[in-house]
Amino acid sequence: MATDSILQRQSIISIMAWRFKTSKYKNAAPKVIKREEWIQEGISAGNLMQCSGNHIKAGCIYMTFNVDSSGGGNLGVLPVSSTGRLVNGLPLLPAHGDFVSDFEFSPFDDYLLATGSADNSVKVWLLPEEDNLSELSNLNPVVAVPKQNYKIENVTWNPMAEGVLTFTCNDCVVLYDVTSQEQKISINNHKDQIQSISWRDNGQVFVTSCKDKRLRIIDPRASSVVQETQGHDNIRDSRALWLGNKDMLCTTGFSRSREREVKVWDCRNFTSSVSTLGIDSNTGTLIPLYDADTGMLFLTGKGDSNIRYYEISEKDSTLTENNISRTEQVKGVGMVPKRALNVMEGEVDRLLLLTKQAIIPIPYIVPRKNYLEFHDDLFPDTASDEPGLSATAWFSGANGQRKLVSLNPQRKTAIGSRRGLGLQPGEVKEAGGGTSADVPVTNKTQPETSQVTNPSSPPASVPNTSPSATSQSPVHNRTDEEKAAEAISDDVTDEDKAEAEQREEVQKKVSARIFSGVRQCKFKHWKCKTLHRSTHIENIRKLDRTVPGESNFFVANKKRCVVPIEGSGGLLSVFELDKPGKLQDAGLPVLQHQSKATDYSWDPFSDNRLVVACDDAKIWVWDIPEGGLTETLTEPRGTLRGHMEKIYFVIFHPLARDIIVTSAYDFTVRIWDLSEMKEVLQLFVHPDQVFCAAWSPDGKYLCTVCKDGKVRIFNPRKSPNPVMEGPGPEGSRGARAVFVLEGNYLFISGFDKQSKRMVFMYDTGDLSKPLYEDSIDECPAILVPYYDEDSNTVFLSGRGDGQMYAYEVATEEPYLFPLATTKFPTASQAFSFLPKYLCNVKEVEFAKAYRLTQTSVEPVSFTVPRVRLEYFQDDLFPETRVTWEPTMTSKDWLAGSNRQPRTLSLQPKDMTLLSQAPKETPKVRKFESYNADTYKTDEQKKEELMSAMTNKLSKQEAPLPQDLAEGVDEDEWDD
């Protein structure tokens, strides 16, 4: 009994210790790479075939990647340190006669590349030195494996033994000895096509995922399946990845309901997964990448526009999501080896993202106060490039262990090994002694390696503008020129030293802004919560989704909302928000027009007035009765005519009562006075469709974005001509604009020429080019922005999206700072935000909106997590502008008046300002390691916990309930 109690206490201590364990890599985040540092010249990955490969992989010297399948079996090859514009074009390796399905660098030779192809062949290449990449076009393979009967799906090297190449074709796994050029093992115990293969780091077993939905752990030297279990429930493409040398696997695939999912497996209990995480309903294959040194797991899917970063708990195998970063649409992704990272910049991992027309390096940085010294806690010793044993020894049954090396630049060895396995490009023999028909015969040999180069040094053909590019230099076999340069460096002038110090200062500043996540933003981790179902309006039937994209589609005020309904005559339902619940199936009263409604807007100063634009060029003005609609209305208070074509949009002035602006297919922008029901101003200068219009906060200026690719700013009361114009979004799908930061900047969402959704930031004083732009994803729906001026937050969501994006806008570079992204269980058709005074500031709610889905209207709340909720968070809630009251009449505004709105404090009377709250006395941190007075060793902590638990147990004088239970005699058991 005493032994059991001790074991229980030890188990509790272990669990508690793990629970409070913090990860050094939790705050790792991607560094923002400027577009000009992307590799874009010659990159074309637009029509890549669907295969099991990652489409891009890297060694310590080179990266290689698929190019458009129309180019046959070509691979692009570049130094892994490449950035920006390519001076001499993109070097191509004509590897195969058909699409290259998979490829991988040897872990023991940074120049040795294995490739597999849809032409059923596998080849091994010894790549030239960086300054001889022009030789790629005439390069011959050093090994050509005899052609197989099926397309090659996967190619990978054994991580322990040098020269052991593994590849799969259809339902077969083949192990090939590259040194002796012999096929050693063929495993044919799969029942369908093998989708992925991954070695354990000890090189003894590997795991496969198969189209028959089974996972198999195989000992290849025994040619036997060690363990087998049911994997994902869908036959679509799956990936299996062994997590280093742990007893854990990670798989990605699709569930029975076609949802993408990630599973974690413990191979000691392989009957079922120990953790399953549903991702989303996208169709792209999830590619997992794992760093065994840090435990960082990255996931992204083909066709996705974000990268997910997780950590896997070794205690309970759960996945902890640490970061989701948005990026370009993914065509392929690879990971750079640890030995090639810029460790002196805190770079713990680097991904290479292959997009349609670019390669984007994505370094993951752990933020530290400085990067002047090596942080050994972030960079444990990693596997070297020396093999644990030879191929001959491994096939004979031996097991080895790889040597570990330090990543400290002062201690680590040079990278860029070029063993070549004793192979030379030349005559390549097929099985049976014949010469391969598709491999030209030549006596050309590779030059001997005289210098080991570092991937951080820019090659002659590829400029490297990265500040870190000069931080390391070649260390082996220095040439005479290098020795002379070193001698000259001993005689450095004061000017040279000053210049070097200036460069060092610049590098420090760059390191200090290593990624935008370092910027302190109070709203970065905002939360979005859908309120209780009892507040929803449900059972909306026949939602009309054909309303033009220039419309906001759904509008609400504090009392009611408007939803378009299918039917002739432009039907609009008006729902009272204080009457939630399930709507009746039919017979609901509506607003009926004579033609289709194209846009509609609530008067910001009257909860009862609604203005509707129609495709018959009419503008309808409605007065909604108090209490809502009780019958279908067909007669408005009045109508406006002036446009000659279908109207795009209608927008109210932010400060002046009765002023609206509209635009139509007649390419005119017209301003109307509703008090007199007439047109008062007109702008004729647009040569094409006007996508949108936006008023400045002070109501003086009007911005338009036109299909001709121009952004224009007007002072409509003074001139029909723009006061400023500049290039806008290039795409023709549409655009939206909103003035931000007191009207000094413009935020615009639109499309590029490839129909990617983009966001732009402009200075209203200079529209010649955007200050910053960012690509979101590929989707046909325009992103509709809503700007909260008190928090400087722009929310973005498109029709049919399942998530909402957000940015903080600021006056300092890069002007747009991505905030958290929220996902919804169902697709959103539109959002309508409410005035600021309706927010519940006691719950730190800084924005409130209604969300329209296909069948319901749901209130959503946007909050910021805070601790001391009893105080008014005055740092989050400055005095807000009263936008729900007009500052002037239409006549005042037309006469040239400009009156600013008053401001209002949102502080409740019963709350004290947080800035005036008494400061909390700092609590003594019991386990503060740097405080000598309170420092306690692990043994002291353990002893205190054991003592406390023992004292509690000793106070238990009464017998426990289980001690009073009676047992059963042996002869009473039923056999």
Side-chain angles (χ1 to χ4, degrees):
M1 186 69 181
T3 303
D4 292 343
S5 298
I6 293 174
L7 291 175
Q8 290 176 359
R9 291 196 295 270
Q10 291 176 343
S11 177
I12 292 172
I13 293 170
S14 176
I15 293 172
M16 292 180 67
W18 178 261
R19 180 180 178 186
F20 293 103
K21 179 181 178 181
T22 58
S23 167
K24 298 185 290 287
Y25 308 98
K26 180 179 180 180
N27 295 320
K31 176 183 177 180
V32 176
I33 300 298
K34 294 182 178 179
R35 187 176 289 268
E36 53 264 31
E37 294 181 18
W38 298 1
I39 305 170
Q40 301 184 73
E41 187 171 345
I43 307 299
S44 176
N47 298 312
L48 294 182
M49 295 173 57
Q50 290 295 319
C51 64
S52 300
N54 287 13
H55 296 309
I56 181 169
K57 289 188 180 178
C60 288
I61 299 296
Y62 290 119
M63 68 174 85
T64 185
F65 46 92
N66 288 110
V67 294
D68 198 319
S69 58
S70 61
N74 291 339
L75 290 176
V77 179
L78 287 172
V80 76
S81 59
S82 299
T83 59
R85 183 174 176 271
L86 305 178
V87 174
N88 297 321
L90 176 64
L92 292 177
L93 172 66
H96 292 269
D98 203 343
F99 184 79
V100 182
S101 52
D102 200 12
F103 42 90
E104 188 169 274
F105 286 94
S106 167
F108 313 115
D109 190 330
D110 295 312
Y111 295 84
L112 203 64
L113 175 69
T115 61
S117 172
D119 64 5
N120 304 355
S121 67
V122 176
K123 298 177 183 179
V124 180
W125 308 82
L126 187 62
L127 301 181
E129 298 287 347
E130 293 95 309
D131 53 356
N132 295 321
L133 280 178
S134 59
E135 299 177 2
L136 283 176
S137 58
N138 298 316
L139 192 66
N140 296 317
V142 293
V143 174
V145 177
K147 284 197 173 184
Q148 307 299 306
N149 295 326
Y150 299 94
K151 165 189 172 183
I152 306 301
E153 294 290 345
N154 302 275
V155 176
T156 185
W157 296 89
N158 185 292
M160 186 60 63
E162 186 174 37
V164 177
L165 182 63
T166 312
F167 59 87
T168 72
C169 54
N170 197 28
D171 60 352
C172 179
V173 182
V174 176
L175 277 78
Y176 191 86
D177 186 348
V178 174
T179 55
S180 65
Q181 301 192 32
E182 294 178 284
Q183 180 174 310
K184 294 288 189 178
I185 299 172
S186 179
I187 302 172
N188 296 280
N189 48 15
H190 294 76
K191 298 178 182 179
D192 207 334
Q193 176 185 324
I194 300 170
Q195 296 175 326
S196 69
I197 182 171
S198 177
W199 281 96
R200 185 166 182 168
D201 271 4
N202 61 15
Q204 298 175 21
V205 295
F206 57 75
V207 61
T208 63
S209 64
C210 184
K211 199 172 182 180
D212 64 4
K213 300 184 280 189
R214 306 290 290 178
L215 296 176
R216 296 173 176 88
I217 297 178
I218 298 175
D219 183 350
R221 290 177 291 190
S223 295
S224 63
V225 177
V226 179
Q227 296 184 76
E228 182 177 354
T229 190
Q230 175 74 19
H232 296 270
D233 293 331
N234 197 298
I235 65 172
R236 299 179 68 178
D237 199 9
S238 64
R239 297 292 182 92
L241 180 66
W242 208 299
L243 301 181
N245 200 27
K246 299 177 183 177
D247 293 318
M248 297 169 63
L249 308 170
C250 171
T251 63
T252 65
F254 295 82
S255 67
R256 188 170 302 174
S257 59
R258 299 184 181 180
E259 182 185 33
R260 294 197 298 185
E261 58 182 12
V262 183
K263 292 188 176 185
V264 180
W265 308 78
D266 189 336
C267 59
R268 295 165 297 187
N269 181 16
F270 207 49
T271 55
S272 62
S273 63
V274 293
S275 178
T276 301
L277 178 64
I279 302 297
D280 54 30
S281 57
N282 290 356
T283 58
T285 303
L286 278 172
I287 302 174
L289 299 171
Y290 180 72
D291 177 9
D293 292 347
T294 63
M296 300 171 72
L297 175 69
F298 300 92
L299 291 176
T300 189
K302 295 181 181 179
D304 282 11
S305 297
N306 51 43
I307 299 175
R308 295 173 168 85
Y309 156 42
Y310 298 85
E311 287 185 285
I312 301 179
S313 166
E314 295 182 11
K315 189 69 178 177
D316 55 7
S317 303
T318 57
L319 286 167
T320 302
E321 183 177 279
N322 284 348
N323 182 282
I324 298 180
S325 55
R326 297 195 299 274
T327 183
E328 297 288 293
Q329 187 184 49
V330 176
K331 297 292 184 181
V333 65
M335 180 179 284
V336 176
K338 299 291 287 191
R339 293 179 291 115
L341 300 181
N342 295 322
V343 296
M344 296 307 293
E345 292 185 2
E347 184 184 40
V348 293
D349 275 305
R350 187 194 310 162
L351 304 185
L352 296 175
L353 194 70
L354 178 65
T355 69
K356 187 175 181 180
Q357 293 181 326
I359 294 175
I360 308 173
I362 304 180
Y364 274 77
I365 310 295
V366 174
R368 290 293 170 91
K369 290 183 179 179
N370 68 77
Y371 300 98
L372 301 179
E373 57 185 13
F374 178 72
H375 295 280
D376 54 0
D377 61 320
L378 298 180
F379 302 99
D381 291 352
T382 193
S384 70
D385 60 353
E386 296 181 17
L389 66 167
S390 65
T392 303
W394 187 85
F395 281 112
S396 300
N399 295 318
Q401 187 172 356
R402 287 180 59 182
K403 178 183 176 182
L404 299 179
V405 294
S406 172
L407 292 176
N408 191 331
Q410 296 180 354
R411 299 203 304 268
K412 76 173 184 179
T413 57
I415 60 177
S417 60
R418 184 185 170 97
R419 292 183 174 82
L421 294 175
L423 304 169
Q424 294 294 336
E427 184 172 339
V428 181
K429 300 291 184 180
E430 294 281 5
T435 302
S436 173
D438 60 0
V439 181
V441 179
T442 177
N443 292 323
K444 180 181 175 181
T445 59
Q446 291 290 328
E448 292 294 328
T449 304
S450 61
Q451 178 179 335
V452 178
T453 58
N454 189 294
S456 298
S457 303
S461 60
V462 182
N464 188 344
T465 59
S466 170
S468 63
T470 59
S471 61
Q472 300 179 22
S473 58
V475 295
H476 279 329
N477 302 326
R478 291 173 300 160
T479 62
D480 293 338
E481 290 82 4
E482 289 171 329
K483 293 177 181 178
E486 185 176 289
I488 293 173
S489 67
D490 293 335
D491 187 16
V492 180
T493 65
D494 293 338
E495 292 181 357
D496 293 333
K497 290 181 180 179
E499 184 178 352
E501 291 176 358
Q502 185 177 4
R503 284 199 304 269
E504 183 179 356
E505 185 64 28
V506 170
Q507 290 184 15
K508 288 180 181 179
K509 291 181 179 179
V510 172
S511 297
R513 292 191 57 201
I514 206 71
F515 61 95
S516 63
V518 171
R519 188 176 188 275
Q520 295 298 319
C521 175
K522 298 172 184 177
F523 299 89
K524 181 176 180 59
H525 301 290
W526 61 275
K527 303 290 183 184
C528 179
K529 180 180 69 173
T530 301
L531 301 188
H532 192 267
R533 188 173 179 179
S534 62
T535 62
H536 299 184
I537 297 174
E538 299 180 314
N539 197 35
I540 296 175
R541 291 174 173 264
K542 297 183 178 181
L543 180 70
D544 184 5
R545 298 177 62 184
T546 64
V547 175
E550 290 80 16
S551 170
N552 284 356
F553 191 66
F554 170 68
V555 292
N557 57 31
K558 67 179 182 180
K559 287 186 176 181
R560 47 184 67 96
C561 64
V562 177
V563 175
I565 302 297
E566 293 178 355
S568 60
L571 306 182
L572 297 178
S573 286
V574 180
F575 300 132
E576 299 296 307
L577 297 175
D578 60 355
K579 298 178 181 178
K582 186 176 180 180
L583 300 172
Q584 61 190 47
D585 294 342
L588 291 174
V590 294
L591 299 177
Q592 187 171 5
H593 306 80
Q594 295 174 355
S595 62
K596 185 176 181 62
T598 56
D599 193 27
Y600 26 90
S601 181
W602 286 110
D603 186 336
F605 313 125
S606 172
D607 296 325
N608 299 327
R609 184 159 66 171
L610 179 72
V611 176
V612 181
C614 295
D615 64 1
D616 63 355
K618 282 186 180 180
I619 301 170
W620 297 56
V621 181
W622 296 92
D623 281 334
I624 307 301
E626 287 293 338
L629 298 183
T630 56
E631 60 180 355
T632 295
L633 300 182
T634 58
E635 294 296 329
R637 192 189 78 176
T639 59
L640 298 169
R641 282 300 292 263
H643 284 293
M644 307 304 295
E645 300 285 347
K646 170 184 173 181
I647 300 175
Y648 306 133
F649 55 78
V650 54
I651 302 170
F652 272 89
H653 192 279
L655 298 177
R657 186 189 294 277
D658 298 324
I659 294 293
I660 62 171
V661 60
T662 61
S663 184
Y665 273 96
D666 55 16
F667 303 157
T668 63
V669 175
R670 301 174 188 246
I671 297 176
W672 310 77
D673 182 358
L674 297 184
S675 66
E676 297 189 4
M677 297 296 287
K678 68 177 184 180
E679 177 186 322
V680 290
L681 295 170
Q682 191 172 156
L683 310 175
F684 290 99
V685 298
H686 298 91
D688 207 332
Q689 176 186 354
V690 181
F691 287 140
C692 67
W695 291 103
S696 61
D698 57 10
K700 289 183 183 179
Y701 301 101
L702 184 71
C703 167
T704 63
V705 183
C706 183
K707 196 173 182 178
D708 68 347
K710 293 289 185 68
V711 178
R712 296 175 173 88
I713 296 179
F714 296 84
N715 187 339
R717 292 176 296 182
K718 291 188 176 181
S719 172
N721 298 312
V723 296
M724 192 170 297
E725 68 176 35
E730 297 177 334
S732 59
R733 287 183 176 271
R736 293 298 179 91
V738 61
F739 282 88
V740 298
L741 299 173
E742 299 182 354
N744 295 317
Y745 295 84
L746 265 178
F747 179 94
I748 296 178
S749 64
F751 297 88
D752 64 6
K753 287 184 178 179
Q754 287 76 38
S755 295
K756 292 181 182 177
R757 295 200 290 192
M758 305 282 293
V759 292
F760 306 85
M761 193 75 162
Y762 287 83
D763 185 340
T764 55
D766 180 10
L767 298 182
S768 60
K769 64 177 181 179
L771 296 172
Y772 183 77
E773 60 185 68
D774 191 13
S775 175
I776 304 294
D777 55 18
E778 288 191 19
C779 184
I782 181 68
L783 286 167
V784 180
Y786 169 77
Y787 174 58
D788 175 35
E789 63 183 2
D790 292 346
S791 62
N792 289 330
T793 301
V794 176
F795 298 99
L796 292 161
S797 182
R799 197 178 301 182
D801 284 2
Q803 57 190 353
M804 173 176 277
Y805 302 106
Y807 284 90
E808 181 192 9
V809 293
T811 56
E812 65 267 21
E813 292 183 359
Y815 305 103
L816 292 177
F817 297 87
L819 304 181
T821 299
T822 189
K823 291 186 176 181
F824 296 93
T826 57
S828 304
Q829 299 303 319
F831 287 82
S832 185
F833 283 77
L834 300 179
K836 194 78 171 185
Y837 75 96
L838 296 175
C839 293
N840 184 0
V841 296
K842 293 185 176 181
E843 297 295 330
V844 202
E845 181 182 62
F846 72 101
K848 190 172 186 177
Y850 280 92
R851 182 173 82 103
L852 175 66
T853 72
Q854 185 67 31
T855 59
S856 65
V857 173
E858 305 171 358
V860 289
S861 173
F862 300 87
T863 59
V864 177
R866 283 293 176 97
V867 177
R868 306 178 73 181
L869 297 181
E870 66 273 21
Y871 295 101
F872 175 66
Q873 314 289 317
D874 51 329
D875 60 326
L876 301 183
F877 297 102
E879 289 198 349
T880 190
R881 296 196 322 147
V882 178
T883 58
W884 51 94
E885 295 177 359
T887 62
M888 59 193 124
T889 66
S890 57
K891 292 181 176 56
D892 293 335
W893 183 79
L894 291 169
S897 295
N898 294 301
R899 298 172 189 168
Q900 293 297 319
R902 66 184 179 91
T903 58
L904 174 71
S905 173
L906 298 177
Q907 179 187 1
K909 294 181 179 179
D910 58 346
M911 294 186 74
T912 304
L913 298 178
L914 179 65
S915 58
Q916 299 176 0
K919 292 185 178 181
E920 293 182 318
T921 304
K923 298 179 181 178
V924 177
R925 298 180 64 179
K926 194 172 184 180
F927 303 109
E928 217 167 86
S929 59
Y930 56 82
N931 190 331
D933 297 330
T934 60
Y935 175 78
K936 296 185 180 180
T937 64
D938 290 340
E939 288 297 324
Q940 289 174 322
K941 301 172 193 173
K942 180 178 177 181
E943 186 62 33
E944 281 191 3
L945 187 56
M946 291 281 289
S947 176
M949 295 177 64
T950 304
N951 291 337
K952 288 186 176 181
L953 290 173
S954 64
K955 295 178 182 179
Q956 182 74 32
E957 297 178 357
L960 297 172
Q962 55 266 36
D963 296 334
L964 301 177
E966 295 183 2
V968 179
D969 293 337
E970 292 293 332
D971 57 359
E972 292 186 53
W973 286 98
D974 186 5
D975 295 331

